């Protein structure tokens, strides 16, 4: 088999890396707060310089092309790892990133044994490439943020396999040694040719995969913004109803939906201003968010109305959670100029029944909420097994009476409120 010309592969890698370095630099100018783009641009540029030095090395050891060139190649991987941490909003670990390149410079610069042994240098360099490639793959697998982006798995696969390729070089160099210096032009073993070509493919695929990551993150941010209430940070009505429909389609055995309305909210706005009203909404969203678990989901339905769905929660547990929310919000204080104010909330709770639509469930909770407000507010009312709202906790003005006849007609009729 005709030998692959290693310097040519290195120059090809150099051209690929320079192109990606320029693209990432241009992209960072558009996203000025994107530290990861600047780090990746530097990573590809540093790696390109390293490959250039390696392509220009002579038949013997020389510090600049061998020690410095390989150190820059390792540093390029380290900067990619730092970029992924910045992408994931994790603190940068500069010392860990620089440890590998510094170790390479010290060992190759001061050890005569390593300087005179290509095998020793390949073992050390391969080990460092494996370590940093593994760090990149682990960084992706350990993060919940990366799991939201499909291309992250491609990045993890690319760097995991890249690290394994270089790890395989360590036993291969002893079993199937190289023929003199790799820059001499002599035909090298097949494994060395394959791994050299893998380096070029990895550089090309790696750059495109990072662009895919950036694109998917942008799309995810737009999607999240379209589903999030800008003031409180919880889901908006559209996202909540879509998620509720999906949940109801699974025919769950039990669960609860709470419909909540902050009492006298218009009066708060009229008396204290909309800025204070906004703080009340934010405080209420925080109170409910603290009360719900990981499976429950919350949304601002509009104005001062909120809804929360609690999958797998029974009647008594749902009533207890609703009372905890009502009580916690009643005790919360919101700054209004030089004073503080407190507000209350009325809550209606409905329970999932068989063959029930999401709109029917919401209607049941809404009727229970109306009963709570009509009976004096600051209370929790639940939909009874017969469908009629019943007092559960809070202000007990009319706790021993049936709920007033609902005056709302805009929602669908009450059905399956068990």
């Amino acid at each position: 088999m005709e030998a692959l010309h290693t310097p040519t592969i290195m120059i090809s890698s150099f051209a690929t890396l320079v192109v990606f370095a320029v693209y990432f630099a241009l992209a960072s100018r558009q996203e000025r707060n994107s530290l990861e783009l600047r780090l990746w641009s530097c990573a590809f540029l540093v790696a390109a310089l390293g490959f250039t030095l390696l392509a220009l090395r002579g038949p013997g050891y020389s510090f600049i092309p061998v020690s410095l060139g390989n150190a820059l190649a390792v540093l390029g991987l380290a900067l990619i790892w730092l970029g992924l941490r910045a992408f994931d909003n994790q603190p940068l670990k500069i010392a860990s990133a620089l440890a590998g390149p510094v170790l390479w410079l010290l060992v190759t610069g001061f050890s005569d044994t390593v300087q005179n042994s290509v095998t020793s240098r390949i073992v050390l360099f391969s080990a460092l490439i494996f370590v940093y490639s593994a760090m990149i793959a682990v960084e992706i697998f350990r993060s919940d943020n990366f799991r939201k982006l499909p291309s992250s798995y491609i990045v993890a696969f690319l760097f995991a396999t890249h690290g394994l390729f270089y790890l395989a070089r360590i036993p291969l160099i002893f079993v199937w040694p190289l023929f003199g210096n790799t820059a001499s032009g002599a035909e090298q073993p097949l494994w060395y040719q394959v791994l050299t070509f893998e380096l070029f493919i990895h550089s090309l695929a790696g750059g495109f995969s990072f662009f895919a990551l950036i694109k998917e993150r942008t799309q995810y941010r737009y999607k999240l913004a379209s589903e999030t209430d800008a003031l409180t940070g919880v889901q908006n009505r559209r996202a909540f109803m879509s998620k509720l429909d999906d949940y109801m389609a699974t025919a769950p055995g039990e669960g609860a939906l709470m419909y909540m309305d902050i009492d006298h909210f218009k009066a708060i706005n009229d008396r204290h201003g909309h800025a204070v009203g906004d703080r009340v909404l934010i405080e209420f969203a925080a109170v409910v968010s603290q009360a719900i678990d990981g499976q429950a989901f919350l949304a601002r339905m509009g104005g001062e109305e909120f809804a929360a769905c609690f999958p797998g929660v029974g009647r008594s547990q749902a009533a207890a959670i609703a009372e905890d929310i009502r009580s916690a919000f009643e005790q919360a204080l919101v700054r209004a100029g030089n004073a503080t104010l407190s507000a209350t909330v009325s809550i209606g709770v409905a329970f999932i029944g068989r063959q029930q639509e999401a709109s029917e469930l919401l209607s049941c909770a809404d009727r229970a909420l109306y009963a709570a407000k009509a009976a004096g507010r600051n209370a929790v009312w639940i939909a009874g097994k017969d469908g009629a709202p019943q007092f559960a906790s809070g202000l007990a003005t009319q706790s021993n009476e049936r709920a007033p006849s609902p005056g709302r007609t805009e929602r669908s009729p009450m059905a399956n409120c068990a």
Side-chain angles (χ1 to χ4, degrees):
M1 177 179 178
E2 184 179 355
L4 293 173
H5 192 230
T6 301
T8 302
I9 296 294
M10 294 298 183
I11 292 174
S12 299
S13 299
F14 165 81
T16 301
L17 293 171
V18 167
V19 169
F20 284 125
V22 172
Y23 279 149
F24 282 122
L26 293 175
S28 67
R29 291 175 61 87
Q30 295 178 347
E31 298 186 35
R32 297 185 181 277
N33 295 325
S34 183
L35 175 60
E36 59 271 19
L37 289 176
R38 294 193 292 273
L39 286 169
W40 288 338
S41 178
C42 291
F44 281 89
L45 182 59
V46 164
L49 293 175
F51 290 146
T52 301
L53 294 177
L54 290 171
L56 299 176
R57 69 187 183 275
Y61 169 81
S62 180
F63 179 81
I64 292 180
V66 176
S67 292
L68 184 58
N70 282 301
L72 291 175
V74 176
L75 180 59
L77 271 182
L79 290 173
I80 286 176
W81 175 65
L82 288 179
L84 284 172
R85 291 189 63 84
F87 188 95
D88 194 31
N89 296 317
Q90 298 295 321
L92 301 185
K93 296 183 177 181
I94 306 299
S96 298
L98 296 178
V102 170
L103 175 64
W104 170 264
L105 288 173
L106 291 176
V107 172
T108 59
F110 293 97
S111 173
D112 293 336
T113 301
V114 175
Q115 291 177 7
N116 296 325
S117 172
V118 176
T119 298
S120 298
R121 295 201 299 270
I122 286 181
V123 169
L124 177 58
F125 181 76
S126 299
L128 290 174
I129 294 298
F130 169 76
V131 169
Y132 280 103
S133 297
M135 289 167 63
I136 291 171
V138 169
E139 192 68 39
I140 291 174
F141 282 118
R142 61 175 285 276
S143 170
D144 292 334
N145 292 327
F146 281 116
R147 294 191 186 98
K148 302 170 185 176
L149 307 176
S151 291
S152 64
Y153 294 99
I154 298 177
V155 174
F157 173 78
L158 285 173
F159 282 91
T161 54
H162 184 63
L164 291 175
F165 269 119
Y166 272 78
L167 185 64
R169 295 207 319 173
I170 296 177
L172 286 173
I173 191 64
F174 293 102
V175 176
W176 199 349
L178 300 179
F179 301 118
N181 190 285
T182 57
S184 64
E187 183 175 345
Q188 299 297 342
L190 178 61
W191 67 264
Y192 186 82
Q193 300 175 40
V194 171
L195 291 178
T196 302
F197 186 68
E198 184 274 338
L199 177 64
F200 169 70
I201 297 299
H202 172 76
S203 302
L204 188 65
F208 281 119
S209 64
F210 283 124
F211 272 113
L213 266 185
I214 297 168
K215 180 180 179 181
E216 288 175 356
R217 182 181 65 176
T218 301
Q219 292 174 339
Y220 177 77
R221 285 176 173 175
Y222 282 133
K223 181 177 182 293
L224 189 64
S226 70
E227 297 177 347
T228 303
D229 175 61
L231 177 64
T232 61
V234 302
Q235 289 181 325
N236 58 25
R237 182 187 184 93
R238 184 182 68 175
F240 180 84
M241 293 305 298
S242 176
K243 197 168 185 178
L244 183 61
D245 285 335
D246 290 342
Y247 174 66
M248 297 296 292
T250 65
E254 64 178 357
L257 186 140
M258 297 180 192
Y259 208 66
M260 300 163 280
D261 187 294
I262 299 175
D263 300 325
H264 305 295
F265 186 73
K266 184 178 183 301
I268 294 174
N269 276 335
D270 292 343
R271 181 174 180 180
H272 300 283
H274 289 281
V276 174
D278 288 348
R279 287 199 289 272
V280 171
L281 293 172
I282 294 170
E283 176 65 26
F284 180 71
V287 167
V288 180
S289 297
Q290 189 173 6
I292 65 179
D293 59 23
Q295 292 185 336
F297 46 99
L298 165 70
R300 182 185 176 192
M301 304 298 281
E304 69 274 22
E305 295 183 348
F306 292 77
C309 179
F310 295 81
V313 171
R315 300 179 69 86
S316 60
Q317 185 180 0
I321 295 173
E323 172 57 21
D324 288 342
I325 293 172
R326 185 205 65 81
S327 177
F329 186 60
E330 184 180 29
Q331 298 173 29
L333 298 176
V334 176
R335 293 288 301 178
N338 295 326
T340 57
L341 66 87
S342 61
T344 60
V345 64
S346 299
I347 304 176
V349 187
F351 304 95
I352 296 175
R354 294 181 179 179
Q355 300 178 346
Q356 189 177 53
E357 299 291 336
S359 58
E360 296 174 348
L361 183 65
L362 190 63
S363 176
C364 291
D366 188 37
R367 292 174 185 276
L369 170 63
Y370 174 81
K373 296 185 78 68
R377 296 181 173 84
N378 191 21
V380 177
W381 282 62
I382 64 175
K385 292 184 178 181
D386 61 352
Q390 299 174 355
F391 172 81
S393 61
L395 185 64
T397 304
Q398 299 182 24
S399 62
N400 296 321
E401 301 180 16
R402 302 286 288 184
S405 299
R408 299 185 181 185
T409 59
E410 67 275 14
R411 298 196 186 276
S412 59
M414 180 170 51
N416 293 325
C417 294

